[in-house]
Amino acid sequence: MASEDISQLADSLAKTQVGGGELSFKGKTLKLNTAEDAEEVIREIDAFEGLEALRLEGNTFGVEAAKAIAKALEKKPDLKRCHWSDMFTGRLRSEIPPALISLGDALITAGAQLTELDLSDNAFGPDGVRGFEALLKSPACFTLQHLKLNNCGMGIGGGKILAAALTECHKKSSVTGKPLSLKVFVAGRNRLENDGATALADAFRLIGTLEEVHMPQNGINHPGITALAESFKANPLLKVINLNDNTFTDKGGIAMAEALKTLRQVEQINFGDCLVRSKGAYAIAGALKEGLHKLKELNLSFCEIKRDAALTLAESVEHKSELEKLDLNGNCLGEEGCEHMQEILDSFNMGTVLGSLSDDEGDDDEEEEDEEDDDDDEEEEEEDDDDDEEEEEGRDEDDQKEELSKKITTNSAPVSPPRAPVDASAFLGFPSPEKLLQMGPKRSLIAQQTDVANVEKVVQTFIQVSSVYRDDGAVKAAVEETVDTLMRKAFDSSSFQQDAFITSLLVHMGLLKSEDKIKTIPHLNGPLLTLNHVVQQNYFPKSLVPVLLAFISKPNRALESNPQARHTLLQTLHKL
């Protein structure tokens, strides 16, 4: 995770024994090829009484080293949690299955009863799944509750092998009277596609105890989404559903909405970047009206949802007293639609739950849904490609008009202020220099209405304010004054997480990678120059300067597009 990257800049390597029956070699960057290389690790495993959790992530293990460590694990029957992500960096893919087989066989021999197995960030592909297939089918996994396989490149084949293994595990464990009760399943970024997802859906339907399913970025289209939706109906305890960055279209959205109507415990839904479109959004709004009373977060950002459907979604959350966040950014509401959206939520006393709408694509009244009738199963992707090309042409036209409008504005007298008064929500919905200036003393409301205990809210507000930065004296002063009020409030608060703020800001600026799909800021000039002002203020912790300096100094295409702003900030950071 990105936050771990930051902590590694400041913290030393983790201590080996961390209490709670856990032995950790996390992040020690050990490169163990042979049995001799692994001797120290083996000694510590042998000496650890009551070993319940073993962390091997952030190291790299060869076949012989894995076999030697496996021998030590054969004598550890209490082992329950295996945190084994990112432990084959630099290894040939052919090395990974035999290493995993050795480790898995050791757990079976020891009579371990696992509750958590994390093999994320090991690019083992379909063959790698064979490496722990026997383990999953064995009594060692009859008690498994958390299975994490994020970013493993399993593909369709690996997904099918995994599904078959989970199915057999459930059948075998059921014979003992205690069927597999898997709670958390994580398999993002694995190219599972429709066939892999459908196979897993069959396993999910059989298991029936899932509470969290995380399967973002898997290239799943509506047939796979529909299969997953059907399997969710058989898992009434589901609390978290994350299918971000797959492709629902109308059919998938409607199928998922039908599943949501049957679920009573759901707290988080992430369908962002899923092309749910308006028909899917209407269906989900219907599910919201009928139930989902425990819902805390709903993400339908960047889904090509038009204004009326988005407003229907807003109306459907009226009685969702637990709702904390509604993300509809990047859809097609238009400025009036965004304002109407805010008004609807304000009327429910829920105005604060709405996330930023700064990336709204604008209202498009042309053929509201006609272009979405792409229900030909196999040809759907081709039709989507054609739609994308047409939309790009439309955007090019709009960009040209906007550029021309800016030139006219620049060369003419200043425009008169808008008639309607500008408040904090109006500015944050569609930030502009004119709106910020028009707010006058009310600019302080922007900071007042930002919950500094929520790091993401602070980052978003900082970005929105800094995005309107101009060299013009009045605008520059207004930006700096507003940001000073915000950041002073944040850094003075004991609940504000400073490191997390810098981490998130770097991610949003495209300077630090994150496992989550986050849309980065397209233009860094304003944020960089605003940061240049912030780091010089007394409220800014000087302990954060080395972190900023490290990332602003790194080669980065986004930074190279803003050489002057970058140079100015670097000069300031070097002086501090």
Side-chain angles (χ1 to χ4, degrees):
M1 294 291 288
S3 58
E4 291 175 350
D5 293 336
I6 290 295
S7 65
Q8 286 172 7
L9 292 173
D11 298 337
S12 58
L13 293 174
K15 292 182 179 178
T16 305
Q17 295 192 22
V18 295
E22 180 176 300
L23 178 61
S24 176
F25 299 93
K26 179 179 178 180
K28 293 203 170 189
T29 62
L30 303 173
K31 186 174 183 180
L32 309 181
N33 299 316
T34 65
E36 291 74 18
D37 294 339
E39 284 179 355
E40 182 57 34
V41 172
I42 293 168
R43 271 196 296 271
E44 295 203 41
I45 291 174
D46 285 339
F48 200 111
E49 296 294 331
L51 180 63
E52 295 183 6
L54 179 61
R55 289 190 172 275
L56 297 177
E57 63 263 56
N59 301 288
T60 178
F61 298 86
V63 175
E64 295 306 315
K67 285 181 179 178
I69 292 170
K71 282 291 182 184
L73 292 179
E74 289 179 357
K75 297 171 284 184
K76 299 296 175 182
D78 297 326
L79 190 59
K80 293 179 174 63
R81 302 185 302 280
C82 297
H83 303 282
W84 294 352
S85 63
D86 188 23
M87 55 181 281
F88 296 111
T89 302
R91 299 292 171 184
L92 295 174
R93 184 171 288 186
S94 59
E95 293 182 84
I96 300 176
L100 287 174
I101 289 171
S102 297
L103 293 167
D105 287 348
L107 298 177
I108 297 170
T109 301
Q113 293 186 316
L114 297 184
T115 59
E116 182 171 356
L117 177 61
D118 186 356
L119 291 170
S120 299
D121 300 315
N122 290 309
F124 45 58
D127 292 339
V129 184
R130 294 284 188 198
F132 59 93
E133 179 184 16
L135 173 63
L136 284 179
K137 294 177 179 179
S138 77
C141 284
F142 287 0
T143 50
L144 195 64
Q145 296 181 7
H146 297 246
L147 179 58
K148 300 177 181 178
L149 299 165
N150 202 54
N151 192 30
C152 292
M154 291 189 289
I156 295 171
K160 289 182 175 180
I161 296 168
L162 175 61
L166 289 172
T167 299
E168 186 166 340
C169 180
H170 186 271
K171 289 179 179 177
K172 286 182 175 179
S173 58
S174 296
V175 173
T176 70
K178 293 183 178 179
L180 172 67
S181 299
L182 191 66
K183 293 181 179 180
V184 177
F185 180 82
V186 180
R189 301 173 67 184
N190 270 294
R191 306 193 309 276
L192 295 170
E193 300 183 16
N194 290 331
D195 290 347
T198 301
L200 284 166
D202 290 338
F204 294 166
R205 190 181 297 109
L206 181 66
I207 292 168
T209 56
L210 287 167
E211 295 180 11
E212 297 186 21
V213 174
H214 302 263
M215 296 174 66
Q217 290 181 270
N218 269 298
I220 308 171
N221 297 325
H222 76 77
I225 295 297
T226 300
L228 287 172
E230 288 300 313
S231 74
F232 292 165
K233 293 178 183 179
N235 287 268
L237 301 178
L238 266 175
K239 295 180 181 179
V240 179
I241 305 173
N242 178 6
L243 295 175
N244 186 281
D245 201 10
N246 289 292
T247 307
F248 282 42
T249 63
D250 304 340
K251 284 186 175 180
I254 292 169
M256 192 58 68
E258 289 302 309
L260 292 175
K261 290 179 182 178
T262 70
L263 301 173
R264 296 290 179 265
Q265 306 300 321
V266 176
E267 297 178 2
Q268 297 179 28
I269 297 173
N270 186 345
F271 297 158
D273 247 341
C274 282
L275 206 66
V276 171
R277 292 179 168 163
S278 294
K279 288 182 181 177
Y282 280 123
I284 291 172
L288 283 164
K289 287 180 180 177
E290 291 185 25
L292 298 171
H293 296 296
K294 294 186 178 181
L295 189 65
K296 294 181 179 179
E297 295 185 17
L298 174 60
N299 183 349
L300 286 168
S301 59
F302 301 95
C303 280
E304 293 192 4
I305 300 171
K306 303 294 178 65
R307 179 184 58 201
D308 291 347
L311 295 178
T312 301
L313 277 168
E315 291 168 351
S316 70
V317 303
E318 179 177 2
H319 300 296
K320 301 296 173 287
S321 58
E322 301 293 319
L323 191 65
E324 297 172 0
K325 183 178 181 180
L326 175 63
D327 190 348
L328 291 170
N329 200 16
N331 287 299
C332 310
L333 282 72
E335 185 164 359
E336 288 185 6
C338 290
E339 291 173 355
H340 193 182
M341 167 84 64
Q342 189 67 58
E343 289 170 2
I344 290 172
L345 293 170
D346 285 341
S347 71
F348 304 151
N349 292 319
M350 298 176 68
T352 58
V353 306
L354 184 62
S356 169
L357 297 174
S358 58
D359 293 314
D360 187 75
E361 295 288 342
D363 188 14
D364 180 9
D365 293 328
E366 296 178 9
E367 302 178 6
E368 176 76 10
E369 293 291 335
D370 293 346
E371 75 274 25
E372 296 171 16
D373 295 330
D374 50 355
D375 295 336
D376 300 320
D377 293 352
E378 297 301 322
E379 298 176 8
E380 184 173 36
E381 288 183 18
E382 292 180 16
E383 293 185 20
D384 284 345
D385 289 341
D386 293 339
D387 289 346
D388 290 343
E389 287 175 15
E390 290 173 11
E391 287 170 15
E392 282 301 323
E393 289 173 9
R395 286 196 191 103
D396 289 343
E397 244 181 60
D398 291 339
D399 290 344
Q400 290 170 9
K401 290 177 183 176
E402 186 179 348
E403 195 173 334
L404 180 59
S405 173
K406 285 180 179 177
K407 288 179 181 177
I408 293 170
T409 303
T410 304
N411 296 325
S412 62
V415 294
S416 57
R419 295 174 187 172
V422 177
D423 57 15
S425 59
F427 169 77
L428 293 173
F430 285 90
S432 73
E434 293 79 13
K435 286 182 180 178
L436 191 65
L437 289 176
Q438 191 189 350
M439 287 185 71
K442 291 184 179 179
R443 288 191 287 268
S444 61
L445 294 174
I446 293 174
Q448 289 178 27
Q449 295 179 17
T450 302
D451 178 10
V452 296
N454 186 329
V455 168
E456 283 301 311
K457 289 273 188 186
V458 178
V459 170
Q460 287 293 340
T461 304
F462 176 90
I463 290 170
Q464 288 165 305
V465 175
S466 64
S467 69
V468 305
Y469 184 99
R470 301 290 184 273
D471 286 330
D472 170 72
V475 176
K476 178 182 176 183
V479 168
E480 292 176 351
E481 171 200 325
T482 307
V483 167
D484 281 341
T485 307
L486 170 69
M487 299 315 304
R488 186 178 291 107
K489 175 187 175 184
F491 285 119
D492 285 349
S493 171
S494 59
S495 62
F496 184 60
Q497 300 174 30
Q498 302 175 4
D499 291 340
F501 168 75
I502 291 295
T503 298
S504 180
L505 183 59
L506 290 169
V507 168
H508 281 277
M509 292 174 72
L511 308 183
L512 182 61
K513 291 182 179 179
S514 169
E515 288 181 4
D516 300 324
K517 187 173 179 63
I518 293 176
K519 188 169 183 178
T520 56
I521 308 168
H523 306 293
L524 291 183
N525 188 70
L528 288 171
L529 292 176
T530 305
L531 262 180
N532 183 63
H533 167 78
V534 168
V535 298
Q536 299 178 66
Q537 307 311 306
N538 292 332
Y539 59 72
F540 186 80
K542 295 302 181 277
S543 60
L544 299 178
V545 169
V547 177
L548 275 178
L549 186 58
F551 283 93
I552 302 299
S553 301
K554 283 183 178 180
N556 185 285
R557 191 173 297 174
L559 289 172
E560 288 163 6
S561 301
N562 299 271
Q564 189 57 50
R566 179 190 195 184
H567 178 69
T568 300
L569 178 54
L570 280 175
Q571 276 189 319
T572 301
L573 291 171
H574 279 295
K575 290 176 184 177
L576 295 173

